[in-house]
Amino acid sequence: MSDLRQRFFIEDSPVRGEVVHLEEALQTIITQRDYAPAVKVLLGEMLCATALLASTLKIKGRISLQIQASGSFKWAMAECNHLGEVRALADYETDPRFDEAVDSSTVFKALANPVLFINIEPEFGERYQGIVPLDKDNLASCLMQYYDLSAQIPTRIVLASDEQRAGGLLIQLLPRNNEEEQRRVDEDLWPRLTVLTETLKIDELTTLDANEILYRLYNEEEVRLPEAEVLKFGCTCSKERCAVALEQVGIESVRETLEFQNPIEMDCQFCNSKYTFTAEEALSLFGKHLS
Ligand SMILES: [Zn+2]
Protein backbone atom coordinates (compact mmCIF):
# COMPACT_ATOMS: atom_id res chain seq x y z
CA MET A 1 0.00 0.00 0.00
CA SER A 2 1.47 3.34 -0.97
CA ASP A 3 1.15 6.96 0.09
CA LEU A 4 -2.13 8.18 -1.32
CA ARG A 5 -4.96 10.62 -0.90
CA GLN A 6 -8.33 9.38 -2.12
CA ARG A 7 -11.17 11.85 -2.55
CA PHE A 8 -14.73 10.55 -2.34
CA PHE A 9 -18.24 11.85 -2.89
CA ILE A 10 -21.53 10.48 -1.63
CA GLU A 11 -23.59 10.51 -4.83
CA ASP A 12 -26.41 13.08 -5.06
CA SER A 13 -25.51 14.72 -1.80
CA PRO A 14 -23.45 17.69 -0.57
CA VAL A 15 -21.08 15.33 1.25
CA ARG A 16 -17.44 14.96 0.23
CA GLY A 17 -14.39 13.58 1.91
CA GLU A 18 -10.83 12.33 1.71
CA VAL A 19 -8.89 9.37 2.99
CA VAL A 20 -5.10 9.55 3.32
CA HIS A 21 -2.50 6.92 3.94
CA LEU A 22 1.18 7.62 4.65
CA GLU A 23 3.92 5.06 5.00
CA GLU A 24 7.07 5.75 3.00
CA ALA A 25 6.93 9.52 3.45
CA LEU A 26 6.30 9.08 7.18
CA GLN A 27 9.31 6.74 7.47
CA THR A 28 11.52 9.18 5.58
CA ILE A 29 10.50 11.99 7.92
CA ILE A 30 10.61 10.26 11.29
CA THR A 31 13.89 8.47 10.69
CA GLN A 32 15.72 11.74 10.00
CA ARG A 33 15.76 12.47 13.74
CA ASP A 34 15.79 10.23 16.76
CA TYR A 35 12.20 11.00 17.74
CA ALA A 36 10.49 9.52 20.81
CA PRO A 37 7.55 7.18 20.02
CA ALA A 38 4.87 9.70 21.06
CA VAL A 39 6.43 12.37 18.84
CA LYS A 40 6.47 10.00 15.85
CA VAL A 41 2.78 9.34 16.41
CA LEU A 42 2.01 13.06 16.70
CA LEU A 43 3.94 13.83 13.49
CA GLY A 44 2.06 11.04 11.68
CA GLU A 45 -1.27 12.55 12.71
CA MET A 46 -0.13 16.07 11.83
CA LEU A 47 1.07 14.95 8.38
CA CYS A 48 -2.23 13.22 7.64
CA ALA A 49 -4.14 16.26 8.87
CA THR A 50 -2.21 18.65 6.59
CA ALA A 51 -2.71 16.33 3.62
CA LEU A 52 -6.46 16.26 4.38
CA LEU A 53 -6.69 20.03 4.84
CA ALA A 54 -4.63 20.68 1.70
CA SER A 55 -7.27 18.86 -0.33
CA THR A 56 -9.97 21.30 0.83
CA LEU A 57 -8.03 24.23 -0.66
CA LYS A 58 -8.29 25.20 -4.26
CA ILE A 59 -5.03 27.11 -4.43
CA LYS A 60 -1.48 26.46 -5.52
CA GLY A 61 0.70 26.75 -2.46
CA ARG A 62 1.08 25.07 0.87
CA ILE A 63 -0.71 24.56 4.13
CA SER A 64 0.97 23.89 7.43
CA LEU A 65 -0.03 23.01 10.96
CA GLN A 66 2.18 24.27 13.71
CA ILE A 67 1.94 23.50 17.42
CA GLN A 68 3.79 25.78 19.81
CA ALA A 69 4.03 25.25 23.53
CA SER A 70 6.17 25.80 26.57
CA GLY A 71 7.22 22.90 28.78
CA SER A 72 9.09 19.81 27.60
CA PHE A 73 7.41 19.90 24.19
CA LYS A 74 8.48 23.00 22.23
CA TRP A 75 6.99 22.84 18.77
CA ALA A 76 6.03 20.65 15.84
CA MET A 77 5.09 21.48 12.29
CA ALA A 78 3.81 19.56 9.29
CA GLU A 79 3.27 20.87 5.80
CA CYS A 80 1.67 19.74 2.54
CA ASN A 81 1.70 21.53 -0.80
CA HIS A 82 -0.52 21.30 -3.89
CA LEU A 83 1.81 18.70 -5.42
CA GLY A 84 1.13 16.34 -2.52
CA GLU A 85 4.60 16.85 -1.05
CA VAL A 86 4.77 16.61 2.74
CA ARG A 87 7.41 17.36 5.35
CA ALA A 88 7.47 17.74 9.13
CA LEU A 89 9.71 18.55 12.07
CA ALA A 90 9.46 18.67 15.87
CA ASP A 91 11.53 19.92 18.78
CA TYR A 92 11.20 18.81 22.40
CA GLU A 93 13.16 17.90 25.48
CA THR A 94 13.51 14.32 26.66
CA ASP A 95 10.44 13.40 28.68
CA PRO A 96 9.59 9.87 29.90
CA ARG A 97 5.96 10.60 29.04
CA PHE A 98 6.91 10.47 25.33
CA ASP A 99 8.11 6.86 25.46
CA GLU A 100 4.73 5.36 24.57
CA ALA A 101 1.73 6.57 22.64
CA VAL A 102 -1.59 5.45 21.28
CA ASP A 103 -2.46 8.77 19.69
CA SER A 104 -1.63 12.49 19.82
CA SER A 105 -3.20 12.83 23.27
CA THR A 106 0.07 11.59 24.85
CA VAL A 107 1.94 14.69 23.66
CA PHE A 108 -1.14 16.91 24.12
CA LYS A 109 -1.19 16.10 27.85
CA ALA A 110 2.38 17.36 28.18
CA LEU A 111 1.78 20.65 26.35
CA ALA A 112 1.92 23.84 28.41
CA ASN A 113 0.19 26.94 27.02
CA PRO A 114 -0.19 25.38 23.58
CA VAL A 115 -1.38 27.08 20.41
CA LEU A 116 -2.06 25.50 17.05
CA PHE A 117 -1.57 27.61 13.95
CA ILE A 118 -3.03 26.79 10.56
CA ASN A 119 -1.00 28.60 7.92
CA ILE A 120 -2.08 28.85 4.32
CA GLU A 121 0.55 30.20 1.95
CA PRO A 122 -0.63 30.58 -1.65
CA GLU A 123 2.10 30.87 -4.30
CA PHE A 124 0.50 34.14 -5.25
CA GLY A 125 -1.73 36.17 -3.01
CA GLU A 126 -2.22 36.77 0.65
CA ARG A 127 -1.22 34.44 3.43
CA TYR A 128 -3.74 33.33 5.98
CA GLN A 129 -3.17 32.28 9.57
CA GLY A 130 -5.84 30.71 11.74
CA ILE A 131 -5.29 30.15 15.45
CA VAL A 132 -6.88 27.12 17.01
CA PRO A 133 -7.13 26.65 20.78
CA LEU A 134 -5.66 23.31 21.83
CA ASP A 135 -8.17 22.60 24.55
CA LYS A 136 -9.31 19.19 23.34
CA ASP A 137 -7.28 16.12 24.10
CA ASN A 138 -6.22 15.20 20.57
CA LEU A 139 -5.46 16.81 17.22
CA ALA A 140 -8.55 15.61 15.34
CA SER A 141 -10.90 17.07 17.97
CA CYS A 142 -9.14 20.45 17.89
CA LEU A 143 -9.39 20.60 14.10
CA MET A 144 -13.08 19.66 14.15
CA GLN A 145 -13.70 22.45 16.64
CA TYR A 146 -11.92 24.84 14.28
CA TYR A 147 -14.20 23.87 11.39
CA ASP A 148 -17.28 24.21 13.58
CA LEU A 149 -16.39 27.65 14.90
CA SER A 150 -14.45 29.32 12.10
CA ALA A 151 -15.51 27.72 8.89
CA GLN A 152 -18.97 26.60 10.00
CA ILE A 153 -18.76 23.56 7.76
CA PRO A 154 -19.86 20.39 9.58
CA THR A 155 -16.72 18.22 9.49
CA ARG A 156 -15.63 14.95 11.01
CA ILE A 157 -11.92 14.09 11.11
CA VAL A 158 -10.34 10.86 12.28
CA LEU A 159 -6.56 10.53 12.55
CA ALA A 160 -4.43 7.56 13.49
CA SER A 161 -0.74 6.85 13.51
CA ASP A 162 1.68 4.28 14.80
CA GLU A 163 5.42 4.40 14.30
CA GLN A 164 5.18 2.79 10.85
CA ARG A 165 2.05 4.13 9.16
CA ALA A 166 -0.47 6.89 9.49
CA GLY A 167 -3.97 7.37 8.17
CA GLY A 168 -6.71 9.94 8.24
CA LEU A 169 -10.23 10.53 7.08
CA LEU A 170 -12.14 13.77 6.65
CA ILE A 171 -15.78 14.07 5.73
CA GLN A 172 -17.66 17.35 5.22
CA LEU A 173 -21.19 18.50 4.67
CA LEU A 174 -20.81 21.32 2.18
CA PRO A 175 -23.20 24.26 2.09
CA ARG A 176 -26.15 23.85 -0.29
CA ASN A 177 -26.16 26.29 -3.21
CA ASN A 178 -29.88 26.93 -3.38
CA GLU A 179 -33.29 25.96 -2.03
CA GLU A 180 -33.76 23.31 -4.70
CA GLU A 181 -30.60 21.55 -3.50
CA GLN A 182 -31.71 22.01 0.10
CA ARG A 183 -35.02 20.24 -0.63
CA ARG A 184 -33.35 17.25 -2.23
CA VAL A 185 -31.13 16.56 0.77
CA ASP A 186 -31.72 13.44 2.81
CA GLU A 187 -31.74 14.95 6.31
CA ASP A 188 -30.67 11.70 7.95
CA LEU A 189 -27.61 11.33 5.76
CA TRP A 190 -25.15 13.50 7.74
CA PRO A 191 -26.05 12.14 11.21
CA ARG A 192 -25.83 8.61 9.79
CA LEU A 193 -22.41 9.23 8.19
CA THR A 194 -21.13 10.88 11.38
CA VAL A 195 -22.01 7.87 13.50
CA LEU A 196 -20.44 5.50 10.95
CA THR A 197 -17.26 7.58 10.71
CA GLU A 198 -16.77 7.38 14.46
CA THR A 199 -16.71 3.59 14.36
CA LEU A 200 -13.38 3.67 12.53
CA LYS A 201 -10.60 2.14 14.61
CA ILE A 202 -6.96 3.16 14.78
CA ASP A 203 -5.65 -0.06 13.25
CA GLU A 204 -8.24 0.10 10.44
CA LEU A 205 -7.06 3.59 9.50
CA THR A 206 -3.39 2.66 9.52
CA THR A 207 -3.58 -0.76 7.84
CA LEU A 208 -6.51 -0.78 5.39
CA ASP A 209 -6.45 0.88 2.00
CA ALA A 210 -8.84 3.71 1.18
CA ASN A 211 -11.34 1.58 -0.77
CA GLU A 212 -11.62 -0.91 2.06
CA ILE A 213 -12.09 1.82 4.66
CA LEU A 214 -14.78 3.50 2.60
CA TYR A 215 -16.53 0.22 1.92
CA ARG A 216 -16.54 -0.71 5.61
CA LEU A 217 -17.99 2.63 6.63
CA TYR A 218 -20.32 3.65 3.86
CA ASN A 219 -21.29 0.53 1.89
CA GLU A 220 -24.98 1.45 2.21
CA GLU A 221 -24.29 4.67 0.29
CA GLU A 222 -23.31 5.22 -3.30
CA VAL A 223 -19.70 6.35 -3.02
CA ARG A 224 -17.97 7.87 -6.06
CA LEU A 225 -14.18 7.80 -6.23
CA PRO A 226 -12.11 9.97 -8.54
CA GLU A 227 -8.54 8.90 -9.20
CA ALA A 228 -6.32 8.90 -6.10
CA GLU A 229 -3.46 11.37 -5.73
CA VAL A 230 0.07 10.37 -4.77
CA LEU A 231 1.59 11.83 -1.61
CA LYS A 232 5.36 11.94 -1.13
CA PHE A 233 8.09 13.43 0.98
CA GLY A 234 9.33 16.68 -0.50
CA CYS A 235 11.37 19.58 0.76
CA THR A 236 11.18 23.12 -0.55
CA CYS A 237 14.62 24.16 0.67
CA SER A 238 17.10 25.67 -1.79
CA LYS A 239 20.27 27.74 -1.84
CA GLU A 240 18.14 30.74 -2.84
CA ARG A 241 15.99 30.37 0.29
CA CYS A 242 19.12 30.07 2.45
CA ALA A 243 20.40 33.27 0.83
CA VAL A 244 17.16 35.02 1.78
CA ALA A 245 17.59 33.80 5.37
CA LEU A 246 21.15 35.18 5.45
CA GLU A 247 19.92 38.52 4.13
CA GLN A 248 17.34 38.57 6.89
CA VAL A 249 19.85 38.05 9.71
CA GLY A 250 21.88 40.97 8.38
CA ILE A 251 25.44 41.67 7.36
CA GLU A 252 26.74 42.07 10.94
CA SER A 253 25.66 38.56 11.94
CA VAL A 254 26.99 37.15 8.68
CA ARG A 255 30.39 38.78 9.32
CA GLU A 256 30.44 37.40 12.88
CA THR A 257 29.58 33.91 11.63
CA LEU A 258 32.34 34.06 9.00
CA GLU A 259 34.92 34.67 11.75
CA PHE A 260 34.42 31.18 13.13
CA GLN A 261 32.81 29.39 10.17
CA ASN A 262 34.12 30.03 6.68
CA PRO A 263 32.50 28.96 4.41
CA ILE A 264 29.13 29.30 6.16
CA GLU A 265 27.31 25.97 6.31
CA MET A 266 23.55 25.75 6.53
CA ASP A 267 21.68 22.48 7.11
CA CYS A 268 18.04 21.97 6.23
CA GLN A 269 16.41 20.43 9.29
CA PHE A 270 13.68 18.83 7.19
CA CYS A 271 15.81 16.87 4.71
CA ASN A 272 19.42 17.21 5.97
CA SER A 273 20.54 18.94 2.74
CA LYS A 274 23.64 21.08 3.24
CA TYR A 275 24.21 24.47 1.66
CA THR A 276 27.53 26.32 1.80
CA PHE A 277 28.27 29.99 1.23
CA THR A 278 31.86 31.17 0.77
CA ALA A 279 32.69 34.54 2.33
CA GLU A 280 32.57 36.04 -1.17
CA GLU A 281 29.10 34.59 -1.84
CA ALA A 282 27.71 35.58 1.57
CA LEU A 283 28.97 39.14 1.41
CA SER A 284 27.88 39.63 -2.17
CA LEU A 285 24.28 39.18 -0.93
CA PHE A 286 24.76 42.58 0.68
CA GLY A 287 26.52 44.08 -2.32
CA LYS A 288 29.88 43.81 -0.51
CA HIS A 289 33.09 42.21 -1.64
CA LEU A 290 36.10 40.84 0.16
CA SER A 291 38.71 43.55 0.43
ZN1 LIG B 1 15.26 20.60 2.84
Side-chain angles (χ1 to χ4, degrees):
M1 201 168 24
S2 50
D3 295 16
L4 288 176
R5 178 171 58 205
Q6 174 68 63
R7 178 163 295 191
F8 64 92
F9 299 95
I10 306 291
E11 208 65 91
D12 292 322
S13 88
V15 175
R16 65 169 287 282
E18 309 277 342
V19 182
V20 297
H21 180 85
L22 287 174
E23 204 161 324
E24 244 184 83
L26 179 70
Q27 286 306 313
T28 305
I29 291 165
I30 63 181
T31 53
Q32 274 163 0
R33 301 256 169 301
D34 188 17
Y35 289 123
V39 179
K40 290 181 189 174
V41 168
L42 175 71
L43 287 176
E45 287 193 23
M46 288 178 75
L47 283 160
C48 285
T50 48
L52 290 171
L53 299 189
S55 73
T56 67
L57 299 174
K58 290 175 185 73
I59 53 141
K60 275 192 177 175
R62 51 187 173 169
I63 183 163
S64 63
L65 288 176
Q66 201 179 336
I67 292 173
Q68 280 186 2
S70 44
S72 57
F73 199 87
K74 306 292 175 202
W75 57 266
M77 78 87 83
E79 185 183 87
C80 181
N81 66 13
H82 64 275
L83 302 170
E85 292 173 332
V86 294
R87 60 179 194 166
L89 202 56
D91 191 26
Y92 60 99
E93 285 164 7
T94 312
D95 186 327
R97 287 177 291 183
F98 301 154
D99 291 345
E100 264 178 79
V102 178
D103 57 37
S104 53
S105 64
T106 309
V107 171
F108 270 41
K109 281 184 199 131
L111 297 176
N113 311 311
V115 189
L116 173 66
F117 296 100
I118 299 181
N119 299 302
I120 299 169
E121 293 174 58
E123 262 180 14
F124 308 102
E126 255 176 70
R127 292 177 175 201
Y128 163 87
Q129 184 171 69
I131 299 178
V132 183
L134 280 182
D135 49 11
K136 303 276 180 193
D137 66 358
N138 62 59
L139 181 62
S141 304
C142 294
L143 293 171
M144 283 190 277
Q145 177 172 269
Y146 167 77
Y147 271 103
D148 282 348
L149 298 175
S150 309
Q152 299 190 333
I153 300 172
T155 302
R156 305 306 300 166
I157 297 172
V158 208
L159 299 170
S161 174
D162 54 30
E163 293 174 45
Q164 306 297 322
R165 294 166 291 257
L169 184 147
L170 171 146
I171 185 164
Q172 287 188 317
L173 179 64
L174 298 175
R176 269 54 55 102
N177 291 320
N178 53 47
E179 280 184 21
E180 170 59 25
E181 273 188 29
Q182 180 67 38
R183 259 198 304 279
R184 290 210 324 258
V185 170
D186 164 6
E187 289 298 336
D188 295 331
L189 178 68
W190 182 249
R192 192 164 72 231
L193 294 178
T194 305
V195 171
L196 289 168
T197 305
E198 277 158 9
T199 64
L200 201 53
K201 295 186 183 65
I202 287 181
D203 61 330
E204 291 178 316
L205 252 182
T206 51
T207 57
L208 300 180
D209 71 28
N211 287 8
E212 231 173 314
I213 289 172
L214 292 171
Y215 182 77
R216 265 192 201 194
L217 292 178
Y218 315 128
N219 61 66
E220 304 272 305
E221 318 294 336
E222 213 174 308
V223 179
R224 185 160 56 85
L225 302 177
E227 205 179 320
E229 297 158 89
V230 173
L231 298 170
K232 53 191 171 298
F233 170 72
C235 196
T236 48
C237 65
S238 64
K239 190 156 181 180
E240 288 71 33
R241 278 174 190 256
C242 291
V244 171
L246 286 178
E247 281 170 16
Q248 280 167 354
V249 300
I251 188 159
E252 288 315 312
S253 304
V254 167
R255 281 207 167 108
E256 278 169 30
T257 308
L258 281 168
E259 277 169 28
F260 62 89
Q261 189 188 75
N262 187 353
I264 294 177
E265 283 179 7
M266 297 171 82
D267 297 350
C268 174
Q269 301 290 304
F270 288 98
C271 69
N272 294 330
S273 293
K274 290 190 194 313
Y275 298 95
T276 53
F277 289 83
T278 61
E280 180 73 52
E281 282 176 307
L283 293 173
S284 70
L285 297 171
F286 302 93
K288 307 274 187 220
H289 296 280
L290 289 177
S291 47

